[in-house]
Amino acid sequence: MPRIGVWLAAALLLAGCASQQPLTEGPGPEDRTPVETELVSTPFHPQQDYQCGPAALATVLNAAGVEIMPEALTPDVYLPGRRGSLQTELIAAARQHGRVPYQLTPEVEALIRQLQAGHPVLVLQNLSIAALPRWHYAVVIGYSSSNDQFILRSGTERRKRMDRNLFLRTWRRADHWALVVLPPERLPADPDPERYIQSVAGLEATGQIEAARRAYRTASRHWPDASAAWYGLGNTHYLSDEFAAAESAYRKVLALDPDNAAAHNNLARALLARGCTDAAMETVRAALELTDTTPAIRRALEATRREIAAAATSAPPEPADCPSGFRPDTAIPDRPHSVPGEGGAPPASGGSR
């Protein structure tokens, strides 16, 4: 079944698990930040041979409220033939457990802000040189500017203190890859709306519809003018047969972005599922008059129009709460509202026009 969403890109770097050794490269030019923070309650899972990926992921999942041990994650994220884990596997596993994996910008200040907000940060390090990489996953739980050190859950060490410059070199050699894993009701520190909504779309694409709905609702409350958040919220309601709530969300999209043909199509489908064939047909007709639509969305609109026309020939009387005419900017209360019966085809994928 097609899903709305834009995939969050992630580098395909393989990470094994190495022991830390001193490097010879000199310190970088990063600015210093006066911070003293340590997330002392962060769980700790000593890694087994080459399995820092499952151990680090279990650590951040536990911190996000998921009760799981590394051995339960190993079949999903550990590649025995390569003695390591891929970032994409860790991201996918986090989503499978109903959590939002949010990749950070490659800046040490972004990492420190997450720690200050109470979010442990899963990082990839290269503990050797670029030509002979030794990949390693760890979880950053603290930073002390007075001691010039980061504090990590790393390998078999519960509280690994690492000189700031050494940490930054190992992190830089892994392209500054860093991830926080969050419950759907929590946002990262200083969130970027586009990146966050993309992360939630990936969660939806894995079939975690309930978790995605909660995260989209979090996004729509934080960014009420972000049409993509309302669009995703509408799709998750639709896929759960909550057609009145889906209608409300799609109307919110169109109030913000009147020329969004995909939202027109999905609003029409929600109206059709509620038995409101007249309003559904008017909605599709309005969308077909738009000039800036992709061929794929136009095909979806034509298919929806044919389905509405077929349903209208044998439809029972419309419910009393059906809207009269096409008024995309008039929203009904945004509430969960289940309607028994078939949901029809899935919503149109993609939020672009």
Side-chain angles (χ1 to χ4, degrees), residues 23-262:
L23 303 181
T24 59
E25 183 179 321
E30 292 84 0
D31 293 331
R32 302 306 165 104
T33 303
V35 173
E36 300 292 331
T37 185
E38 182 176 355
L39 306 178
V40 295
S41 63
T42 304
F44 174 57
H45 298 285
Q47 74 173 60
Q48 303 300 316
D49 289 343
Y50 301 107
Q51 295 193 15
C52 56
L57 181 60
T59 298
V60 292
L61 281 173
N62 292 167
V66 179
E67 295 184 5
I68 196 165
M69 298 296 288
E71 50 267 30
L73 295 166
T74 298
D76 295 327
V77 304
Y78 180 68
L79 305 176
R82 300 187 179 184
R83 294 183 175 182
S85 302
L86 297 173
Q87 295 107 302
T88 49
E89 306 296 336
L90 300 184
I91 289 171
R95 287 172 176 154
Q96 289 292 344
H97 290 279
R99 295 300 182 263
V100 181
Y102 181 84
Q103 190 169 336
L104 305 186
T105 56
E107 303 163 352
V108 66
E109 294 298 333
L111 189 156
I112 292 173
R113 284 194 294 269
Q114 300 305 324
L115 298 176
Q116 292 176 302
H119 307 144
V121 182
L122 196 162
V123 296
L124 178 62
Q125 298 171 279
N126 177 3
L127 301 178
S128 184
I129 60 176
L132 295 171
R134 302 178 66 202
W135 305 113
H136 180 71
Y137 288 114
V139 177
V140 184
I141 64 162
Y143 175 63
S144 170
S145 58
S146 61
N147 293 323
D148 213 23
Q149 291 177 333
F150 282 91
I151 307 167
L152 299 85
R153 301 276 191 260
S154 178
T156 58
E157 296 186 61
R158 179 182 183 88
R159 196 167 179 270
K160 172 71 176 180
R161 288 181 171 273
M162 200 168 192
D163 175 80
R164 175 190 170 107
N165 290 327
L166 174 59
F167 170 79
L168 292 177
R169 291 199 301 273
T170 65
W171 188 40
R172 183 169 62 248
R173 290 176 177 177
D175 292 331
H176 296 100
W177 189 85
L179 191 77
V180 291
V181 174
L182 302 168
E185 291 77 19
R186 293 193 69 181
L187 290 171
D190 297 330
D192 175 80
E194 182 177 357
R195 185 182 301 115
Y196 181 80
I197 293 169
Q198 287 177 350
S199 301
V200 179
L203 179 65
E204 180 191 340
T206 66
Q208 295 288 331
I209 303 303
E210 171 59 27
R213 175 167 56 248
R214 287 153 54 199
Y216 280 130
R217 186 173 295 280
T218 299
S220 67
R221 288 170 175 167
H222 192 75
W223 300 290
D225 293 333
S227 62
W230 293 104
Y231 189 96
L233 182 62
N235 277 14
T236 55
H237 280 307
Y238 184 98
L239 293 169
S240 300
D241 292 350
E242 297 169 352
F243 302 121
E247 178 187 346
S248 177
Y250 293 140
R251 289 184 184 279
K252 182 66 175 179
V253 176
L254 291 173
L256 295 166
D257 184 8
D259 294 335
N260 191 318

